Amino acid sequence: MAVETKSKVVVGIVGCGVVGNGAVRLLVENARWIAQRVGAPVVLKSVADIDWERPREFPVPPELRQTDAETVLADPEVQIVVEAIGGTGAARRVVEMALSRGKSVVTPNKELIAKHGRDLLASAAQKGVDLMFEGAVGGGIPLIKPMKESLAGDSIQRIVGIVNGTTNYILTGMARENRDFGEALAAAQQLGYAEADPTADVEGFDSLYKIAILAAIAFGSWISVDQVYHEGITRVTAADIRYARQLGFAVKLLAIAAHRDGALDMRVHPAFVPLDHPLASVGGVYNAVMVRGALVQDVMFYGRGAGAGPTGTAVVGDVLDCARNLLKGAAGRVPCRCFRQLPVLPIEQVVCRNYVRMQVTDRPGVIGKIATCFGNRGVSLASVFQPDAEVGDHLAEVVWITHEVPEERMRAALADIRGLPEVAAVPAVIRLEQGEREQ
Ligand code: HSE
């Protein structure tokens, strides 16, 4: 049966890096298929980038190439602008300009949405256009739309995810090869899985932006990223990963957001995850997010969190959604629905179990003294374990697992312990994430 096609929708892309190029490919190669799905041709008219010399996986047809974003933004025919520049400088100006001119906007830019999404969505609502950002979290994994639409009837309680492929690749490599962080990072950089400047990924910023976006949608409250505790993976060692495995855990960089008693427990940090937890087996560059709703219970999303194909697919899915809305006169159909401002719990008040690795003088009574310090601060211990590791200088490595304890008590105990003459170093404190699944 022939599909009726009316008019057309015109798209312009600003920024033709990996993701922009992936979106160009899909819009060009799948144009016929897309027209059938949308009910009208979705025409890519122009792609702006400052550098057309560098090689790209998909050659952009010369007639589409522009060197100035303004050419795209000023074109009255362009109804949808894709921002694929990244960062919050030029990208922010492009998005603001496009919205102010009444164009719908699609962006996979997590930093932009996490930091300025509230204002940008308000501009979009004022103009009655769409601002969509499916590609900002989890690359090709559908997450934003399921959270905004499919799960909107339930009350979301908790989101726990691995939302950064670079760090997951590094941690997986460290576990597999028994390597320390620096070595695993260098290997990831050589293979192109980590950037030359890996700060945003390895220090947890990328995960922070992504969990802030998911939490805003899930809990209806904008999150100020400055309020969210984040810790990267640079201090995780091969020894921690080895001990984790001996104790039945994997080490993962988790992004967590949970709604409890009118406040949000939000954080990004490396965590011990039980080996039978679904997130423990998420390896390499893959991402996975578990969402728990009061009635839907656990829902898990899994897939590739980055790259031309995955993120390009998310971007083009949004473009098609914007196009459908424009054709139906329904642009702005799913606006920002943040209706409250929930406080984010300071990390000191967050309650966790903990793994602690320390190097101590190897003589009778030392473990007792340390246990007393924990006890004095109300930290209950679940186990202590002395691996056979040689740390030299008559020092022994001792590993502790605590029961759940507020972070501030944990910190107080560790300050006391660090002051003991028998304690040479406390190189690792890693939180344990047990999960709250139904068994
Ligand atoms: N740098 C991100 C990652 C991909 O490593 O997952 C883009 O968000």
Side-chain angles (χ1 to χ4, degrees):
M1 193 181 71
V3 177
E4 187 201 349
T5 56
K6 302 183 217 155
S7 58
K8 62 176 180 179
V9 179
V10 178
V11 182
I13 296 181
V14 182
C16 194
V18 172
V19 175
N21 193 236
V24 173
R25 165 178 245 144
L26 284 154
L27 287 168
V28 171
E29 286 190 343
N30 297 347
R32 274 187 58 170
W33 165 248
I34 286 173
Q36 284 166 334
R37 296 213 122 176
V38 172
V42 175
V43 179
L44 177 59
K45 184 175 177 188
S46 47
V47 183
D49 197 282
I50 47 174
D51 177 6
W52 286 110
E53 296 302 315
R54 87 188 125 121
R56 289 177 169 83
E57 215 167 283
F58 180 75
V60 178
E63 67 277 13
L64 302 186
R65 298 181 194 177
Q66 301 292 342
T67 46
D68 186 1
E70 185 54 27
T71 317
V72 178
L73 296 170
D75 184 341
E77 245 204 326
V78 171
Q79 295 157 281
I80 302 170
V81 172
V82 174
E83 178 280 304
I85 304 170
T88 55
R92 185 179 178 190
R93 287 191 292 279
V94 163
V95 172
E96 283 174 348
M97 187 70 75
L99 293 173
S100 73
R101 293 180 181 172
K103 299 178 193 300
S104 288
V105 172
V106 173
T107 174
N109 187 332
K110 63 257 162 182
E111 185 178 0
L112 182 68
I113 296 298
K115 290 184 176 169
H116 305 291
R118 185 208 291 250
D119 294 342
L120 295 173
L121 282 156
S123 306
Q126 202 201 348
K127 287 286 180 179
V129 294
D130 286 311
L131 169 57
M132 297 196 189
F133 44 90
E134 182 64 66
V137 188
I141 310 171
L143 261 169
I144 306 291
K145 192 189 285 283
M147 301 271 289
K148 270 194 167 184
E149 302 191 19
S150 321
L151 300 177
D154 200 4
S155 153
I156 303 299
Q157 298 171 330
R158 192 160 196 273
I159 305 167
V160 183
I162 295 168
V163 288
N164 184 269
T166 303
T167 46
N168 203 45
Y169 182 85
I170 293 171
L171 289 171
T172 308
M174 288 172 71
R176 198 185 308 120
E177 320 282 344
N178 192 27
R179 282 179 165 164
D180 271 320
F181 169 76
E183 258 183 291
L185 169 65
Q189 282 171 320
Q190 249 177 5
L191 292 168
Y193 289 126
E195 308 265 353
D197 177 1
T199 314
D201 293 316
V202 301
E203 297 292 357
F205 290 101
D206 179 81
S207 296
L208 163 65
Y209 301 143
K210 290 168 175 170
I211 195 69
I213 294 171
L214 291 181
I217 295 168
F219 305 122
S221 166
W222 273 103
I223 312 296
S224 163
V225 290
D226 306 331
Q227 292 178 348
V228 181
Y229 177 82
H230 71 101
E231 184 185 316
I233 62 164
T234 54
R235 292 198 302 261
V236 176
T237 65
D240 297 316
I241 294 182
R242 216 169 42 243
Y243 298 153
R245 185 157 283 272
Q246 287 172 21
L247 293 163
F249 297 89
V251 180
K252 295 290 178 191
L253 181 66
L254 295 187
I256 298 170
H259 185 205
R260 268 188 217 113
D261 308 322
L264 296 177
D265 168 5
M266 283 190 64
R267 49 206 156 91
V268 170
H269 55 70
F272 274 34
V273 177
L275 287 170
D276 66 352
H277 189 288
L279 292 177
S281 53
V282 175
V285 294
Y286 278 87
N287 285 192
V289 177
M290 294 189 71
V291 178
R292 166 168 272 237
L295 295 179
V296 71
Q297 299 284 296
D298 288 319
V299 180
M300 182 153 166
F301 301 86
Y302 173 83
R304 285 190 176 266
T311 310
T313 301
V315 165
V316 170
D318 277 352
V319 168
L320 305 199
D321 227 13
C322 289
R324 288 190 193 98
N325 287 349
L326 287 164
L327 290 164
K328 284 278 178 201
R333 188 176 60 86
V334 190
C336 173
R337 286 286 181 230
C338 286
F339 60 96
R340 58 183 169 181
Q341 197 59 50
L342 293 171
V344 175
L345 281 180
I347 189 70
E348 291 76 13
Q349 289 176 29
V350 167
V351 175
C352 279
R353 296 180 70 200
N354 297 273
Y355 151 95
V356 185
R357 175 167 61 89
M358 52 184 77
Q359 288 158 2
V360 304
T361 311
D362 199 3
R363 66 161 183 262
V366 173
I367 286 190
K369 252 179 121 170
I370 297 167
T372 304
C373 289
F374 276 126
N376 286 345
R377 296 292 186 168
V379 179
S380 170
L381 297 166
S383 64
V384 56
F385 148 68
Q386 187 165 344
D388 261 345
E390 257 299 323
V391 282
D393 259 354
H394 305 290
L395 292 179
E397 194 132 71
V398 180
V399 165
W400 307 80
I401 302 288
T402 74
H403 285 300
E404 283 197 329
V405 59
E407 178 99 4
E408 59 191 349
R409 278 202 244 151
M410 189 66 199
R411 289 186 182 186
L414 289 171
D416 295 347
I417 290 165
R418 284 191 170 100
L420 293 175
E422 296 87 347
V423 175
V426 184
V429 182
I430 302 179
R431 299 170 188 85
L432 262 71
E433 180 59 29
Q434 292 294 77
E436 291 174 7
R437 293 178 292 148
E438 297 290 7
Q439 295 303 313

